[in-house]
Amino acid sequence: MMKRFFLLLLSVVIAVTAVAEKTAKRLKPLKGRIVVLTFDDATAGQREVVAPLLHKYGFGATFYVCEFPGFEDKTKYMSWDQIRELDEMGFEIGNHSRSHGQMSQMTRKQIGSETAYIEDKCALYGIPRPVTYAYPGYDNSPEGIAVLKERGYKLARHGGDKPYVKGVSDKMLMPSYGVVDARFETPEFFEKALDEARDGQVVIFCLHGVPDLAHDFVSTSPENFEKLLSMLKERKCKVISMRDLLKYDL
Ligand SMILES: [Zn+2]
């Protein structure tokens, strides 16, 4: 009787281990030159300029959308119909909060409603519920991070001009390199950053408008943007969205 019980237990353990191994195997190893492109604030031009260029290069990307104060001005910001088109083109729509406020200055309740607003808008437009988040102005708080986890967010983007390093970086505070026109005056910035795209690491770039008609100081010209795209192509980088990273063993 005892022997039969142990044999049964052993076979259960073997079966569970096999399933666990299979699940682990499904994740791709974090190898090669993996680069993530992210675009914030739903600025005009992300649909008309950025998306077609990304398509031309065969690159994936994430668009972190919000309704920045002044969102009504469609010369500066995309419409929700355009945001839906980005989703239909295969790009990821991520959450950048409703009104781009400072997370550290908000209550849990406020953070919840700011986050839910974008989720509801996505649902209304048939866009998948966001699973990744970008902190407005990189500002965050432990309470805010807890709210995001409760709502099912798997990855969140921060700043810092350094790579994501497996086993070291926090998945809810993933570092990124900020890209604006001034960066192109020192091409070493990109060379150094792209050297960090290697096994066990991911380089995430954070861009805004191309160009940014709402906030000049974060603008990247279409010419400079194409320079970045050709650098990524030259180095044979695998350019994906934040959501795509979830397929990897981070
Ligand atoms: Zn922003």
Side-chain angles (χ1 to χ4, degrees), residues 40-41 68 96 100 136-137 208:
D40 292 11
D41 301 352
F68 215 103
H96 198 38
H100 209 277
H208 289 75

mmCIF file of all heavy atoms in Angstrom, residues 40-41 68 96 100 136-137 208, ligand 1:
data_model
loop_
_atom_site.group_PDB
_atom_site.id
_atom_site.type_symbol
_atom_site.label_atom_id
_atom_site.label_comp_id
_atom_site.label_asym_id
_atom_site.label_seq_id
_atom_site.Cartn_x
_atom_site.Cartn_y
_atom_site.Cartn_z
ATOM 1 N N ASP A 40 6.435 58.228 -26.057
ATOM 2 C CA ASP A 40 5.510 58.701 -25.018
ATOM 3 C C ASP A 40 4.582 59.818 -25.480
ATOM 4 O O ASP A 40 4.876 60.538 -26.447
ATOM 5 C CB ASP A 40 6.314 59.228 -23.823
ATOM 6 C CG ASP A 40 7.055 58.126 -23.102
ATOM 7 O OD1 ASP A 40 7.129 56.998 -23.611
ATOM 8 O OD2 ASP A 40 7.587 58.407 -22.003
ATOM 9 N N ASP A 41 3.515 59.968 -24.715
ATOM 10 C CA ASP A 41 2.625 61.141 -24.734
ATOM 11 C C ASP A 41 1.643 61.237 -25.904
ATOM 12 O O ASP A 41 0.948 62.244 -26.015
ATOM 13 C CB ASP A 41 3.428 62.460 -24.647
ATOM 14 C CG ASP A 41 4.267 62.547 -23.387
ATOM 15 O OD1 ASP A 41 4.117 61.677 -22.508
ATOM 16 O OD2 ASP A 41 5.085 63.480 -23.272
ATOM 17 N N PHE A 68 -2.530 64.039 -22.268
ATOM 18 C CA PHE A 68 -1.761 65.173 -21.732
ATOM 19 C C PHE A 68 -2.658 66.410 -21.755
ATOM 20 O O PHE A 68 -3.459 66.553 -22.681
ATOM 21 C CB PHE A 68 -0.539 65.407 -22.639
ATOM 22 C CG PHE A 68 0.678 65.860 -21.906
ATOM 23 C CD1 PHE A 68 1.712 64.973 -21.637
ATOM 24 C CD2 PHE A 68 0.783 67.174 -21.466
ATOM 25 C CE1 PHE A 68 2.841 65.393 -20.943
ATOM 26 C CE2 PHE A 68 1.902 67.591 -20.771
ATOM 27 C CZ PHE A 68 2.921 66.701 -20.510
ATOM 28 N N HIS A 96 0.268 55.301 -19.919
ATOM 29 C CA HIS A 96 1.141 56.392 -19.455
ATOM 30 C C HIS A 96 0.321 57.310 -18.532
ATOM 31 O O HIS A 96 0.656 58.479 -18.375
ATOM 32 C CB HIS A 96 1.666 57.154 -20.686
ATOM 33 C CG HIS A 96 2.871 58.010 -20.448
ATOM 34 N ND1 HIS A 96 3.903 57.663 -19.617
ATOM 35 C CD2 HIS A 96 3.218 59.232 -20.968
ATOM 36 C CE1 HIS A 96 4.827 58.623 -19.629
ATOM 37 N NE2 HIS A 96 4.440 59.591 -20.428
ATOM 38 N N HIS A 100 -0.980 62.434 -16.984
ATOM 39 C CA HIS A 100 0.457 62.687 -16.909
ATOM 40 C C HIS A 100 0.861 63.420 -15.634
ATOM 41 O O HIS A 100 1.777 64.239 -15.611
ATOM 42 C CB HIS A 100 0.921 63.481 -18.150
ATOM 43 C CG HIS A 100 2.354 63.229 -18.539
ATOM 44 N ND1 HIS A 100 3.405 63.860 -17.949
ATOM 45 C CD2 HIS A 100 2.896 62.393 -19.456
ATOM 46 C CE1 HIS A 100 4.529 63.449 -18.495
ATOM 47 N NE2 HIS A 100 4.246 62.545 -19.416
ATOM 48 N N PRO A 136 4.949 58.729 -15.916
ATOM 49 C CA PRO A 136 5.072 60.102 -16.434
ATOM 50 C C PRO A 136 6.210 60.846 -15.715
ATOM 51 O O PRO A 136 6.275 60.832 -14.481
ATOM 52 C CB PRO A 136 3.711 60.724 -16.111
ATOM 53 C CG PRO A 136 2.776 59.566 -16.017
ATOM 54 C CD PRO A 136 3.600 58.457 -15.416
ATOM 55 N N GLY A 137 7.101 61.424 -16.482
ATOM 56 C CA GLY A 137 8.246 62.144 -15.906
ATOM 57 C C GLY A 137 9.139 61.239 -15.077
ATOM 58 O O GLY A 137 9.918 61.728 -14.244
ATOM 59 N N HIS A 208 9.874 60.873 -27.514
ATOM 60 C CA HIS A 208 8.586 61.563 -27.438
ATOM 61 C C HIS A 208 8.125 61.832 -28.875
ATOM 62 O O HIS A 208 8.091 60.930 -29.671
ATOM 63 C CB HIS A 208 8.699 62.811 -26.559
ATOM 64 C CG HIS A 208 8.852 62.483 -25.111
ATOM 65 N ND1 HIS A 208 10.020 62.005 -24.558
ATOM 66 C CD2 HIS A 208 7.956 62.519 -24.089
ATOM 67 C CE1 HIS A 208 9.844 61.764 -23.272
ATOM 68 N NE2 HIS A 208 8.590 62.079 -22.954
HETATM 69 ZN ZN ZN B 1 5.333 61.478 -20.748
#
